[in-house]
Structure formats: structure tokens, C-alpha cells
Amino acid sequence: MFKKLADKIFKKDTSKSSSDGFFLNVRCNECREEFHLFINKSWELMQNFEKSGSVTYSLQKEIFGVGCNNRIRVNMQFDSGKNLKSRQIENGEFIED
């Protein structure tokens, strides 16, 4: 019984984690520091209840560097299936893979 519990706690299921989230890669406009953040769609997206009764999702992130006072702001919009619809960034740029 304890072995099964330990396996669930410590085992990494890469197929599940990659489908439940994505990497947000951004670069600061001032100091050029790069940030590679994993966004988990299950708990980091905010629900938006539309007048039509449907639900969409959004993400608002503020990122601070170590040696720079620049604040990077990221806003992303997702549809009801948590698929990316649009994204905006202030004081930084998205790093494309």
C-alpha cells in the first residue's frame, strides 16, 4: 500500500505534465535576462465567465529578474478548451523555440 502511494507521489508522469501545461519563455528588454517558467493550466489559469454562459481562461503573470528592476507583464487569453487565443507582453519579449 505504501509503495503505491510513494510511486504516485514521487513518480514523474511526463505525458501528463506536458499536456497540463506549457513553458513560458520570455526575455527582459532591459537586462536581457531569460526566464523559462512552467505554467500549469490546471491551477494557474483564471476562469472568466462570459455572458453567454461559456467559460474562458486567462493568465496574468508579473516576472522580476535578479539584478534588474524591470517588471515584465504577460497577459494571455485562452478559449474554453484552454487553447491559447492571444498573448501580450510589456517590458519584455517572448522567446520562440
Side-chain angles (χ1 to χ4, degrees):
M1 179 171 123
F2 292 113
K3 182 174 178 359
K4 286 183 183 180
L5 180 60
D7 286 346
K8 285 185 179 184
I9 293 172
F10 298 111
K11 183 179 176 183
K12 291 186 178 180
D13 184 1
T14 56
S15 62
K16 185 176 184 218
S17 64
S18 64
S19 65
D20 285 348
F22 61 94
F23 280 95
L24 175 61
N25 302 310
V26 299
R27 181 181 298 119
C28 176
N29 278 348
E30 289 187 24
C31 69
R32 310 304 291 166
E33 183 177 358
E34 295 184 0
F35 303 92
H36 307 282
L37 310 169
F38 184 77
I39 305 300
N40 188 311
K41 291 181 180 181
S42 296
W43 69 74
E44 292 191 67
L45 299 185
M46 296 181 292
Q47 290 183 331
N48 304 310
F49 298 97
E50 306 295 328
K51 290 181 181 180
S52 64
S54 65
V55 176
T56 59
Y57 299 89
S58 62
L59 173 74
Q60 296 178 351
K61 230 12 159 182
E62 289 190 355
I63 305 162
F64 297 90
V66 176
C68 178
N69 291 330
N70 191 28
R71 179 183 302 172
I72 303 168
R73 290 185 180 95
V74 175
N75 291 308
M76 303 176 97
Q77 302 299 318
F78 299 84
D79 64 14
S80 60
K82 297 184 181 178
N83 300 305
L84 181 64
K85 289 179 12 183
S86 66
R87 64 183 187 172
Q88 301 84 32
I89 190 168
E90 293 178 25
N91 302 323
E93 61 187 48
F94 293 107
I95 301 172
E96 304 298 332
D97 291 335

